[in-house]
Amino acid sequence: MSNLDAEAIAALEEARNLPPGPDRTEALKKAGILRKAADLQRPLLPKRGRPRK
């Protein structure tokens, strides 16, 4: 797990503990951005299965 993965998980947990409202919305957006950044750092691997035609 990378550093961004850990940050995204922590940000999501923190956001879930906030009461509903604009602060929670912003915290969830931040967690989503961190998750996307962590996903972009992972290497792209081809899917297993049938080869393309």
Side-chain angles (χ1 to χ4, degrees), residues 8-21:
I9 291 169
L12 183 59
E13 289 177 11
E14 183 180 325
R16 286 180 176 166
N17 290 328
L18 292 173

Side-chain angles (χ1 to χ4, degrees), residues 20-32:
D23 291 337
R24 181 180 180 164
T25 302
E26 287 302 314
L28 287 170
K29 285 180 187 179
K30 177 184 172 186

